[in-house]
Amino acid sequence: RAAAEIEKNSYWSDKRHLLRKLCHRFGTDFNAHGIKRTFKYRSLNEKKQYLFTTNEIIKALASRFPMCCLGFGAALGLRRDQDLIGHDDDLDILVALPQKEFPSLPAGLSRIEKHLRDNGFKIEGGFFSHLWVRHPDGERCDVFVGLIEDDGRLSFYPSARNSLATDILF
């Protein structure tokens, strides 16, 4: 939110290059999430460890919710560049749930939150479409919930409804 405000505010937008230079000096970037340590400042081993802990979250989710995978920027960067996107700072997990069993995103998020807590993960924030989940080793990722609608297509917020084919994503 802070990044969006700075982009809109002419005083700060004029100073944006100075802010980015200052962030760079401290191994951070200014992105949509605020001032964060992005992947371009992480070593290969740090990125591997982050992927490892995220995969442990995926395995825990898959034991109850089989349609889950890396998503959004994480999937794009790994597919396109065989690396995490340099200006990104977190990993996203997508979990698809049948709408017949979970009629709304809050219903799905609630069940996922309980499952993750029961498996030793910490929930640090809940939002309309996703959870902030922290692995016991310290890394945090976003877990997004999508609904598989009657036609078998997926709806993930903020994507358009029915915009993804289940068989393509999973």
Side-chain angles (χ1 to χ4, degrees):
R1 182 173 169 202
E5 291 302 316
I6 287 177
E7 294 293 326
K8 292 179 196 174
N9 184 306
S10 62
Y11 174 81
W12 282 112
S13 66
D14 292 343
K15 315 270 182 297
R16 184 177 24 213
H17 72 285
L18 295 174
L19 182 57
R20 290 192 193 286
K21 189 174 179 179
L22 181 62
C23 287
H24 176 72
R25 185 171 187 173
F26 291 98
T28 60
D29 273 329
F30 192 75
N31 65 18
H33 297 145
I35 297 174
K36 299 287 183 175
R37 185 166 178 244
T38 57
F39 291 123
K40 77 177 173 184
Y41 296 107
R42 289 187 183 228
S43 70
L44 180 59
N45 284 338
E46 288 174 311
K47 290 187 255 186
K48 284 180 180 180
Q49 181 60 33
Y50 195 173
L51 284 164
F52 177 80
T53 58
T54 300
N55 194 49
E56 288 186 347
I57 296 171
I58 291 171
K59 286 179 187 177
L61 285 165
S63 71
R64 170 62 180 91
F65 311 101
M67 290 192 177
C68 57
C69 64
L70 280 177
F72 301 134
L76 174 65
L78 291 169
R79 174 75 176 149
R80 183 183 62 193
D81 305 322
Q82 294 77 53
D83 199 354
L84 299 173
I85 295 174
H87 65 268
D88 203 353
D89 62 273
D90 68 354
L91 295 177
D92 301 316
I93 297 171
L94 304 179
V95 181
L97 304 173
Q99 190 174 26
K100 289 178 181 174
E101 187 178 345
F102 301 92
S104 66
L105 291 179
L109 285 167
S110 176
R111 187 78 63 85
I112 286 172
E113 180 175 350
K114 180 182 181 335
H115 180 75
L116 288 170
R117 283 186 195 280
D118 290 348
N119 282 275
F121 298 100
K122 183 177 180 183
I123 308 303
E124 294 187 338
F127 305 90
F128 173 75
S129 63
H130 68 284
L131 301 168
W132 282 348
V133 179
R134 187 163 305 274
H135 187 279
D137 288 345
E139 292 289 359
R140 190 188 84 203
C141 65
D142 296 339
V143 175
F144 285 84
V145 173
L147 299 177
I148 305 169
E149 303 207 36
D150 289 336
D151 60 359
R153 295 188 63 82
L154 288 166
S155 295
F156 275 99
Y157 181 83
S159 301
R161 293 233 9 221
N162 295 308
S163 62
L164 295 168
T166 306
D167 60 338
I168 290 174
L169 188 59
F170 298 102

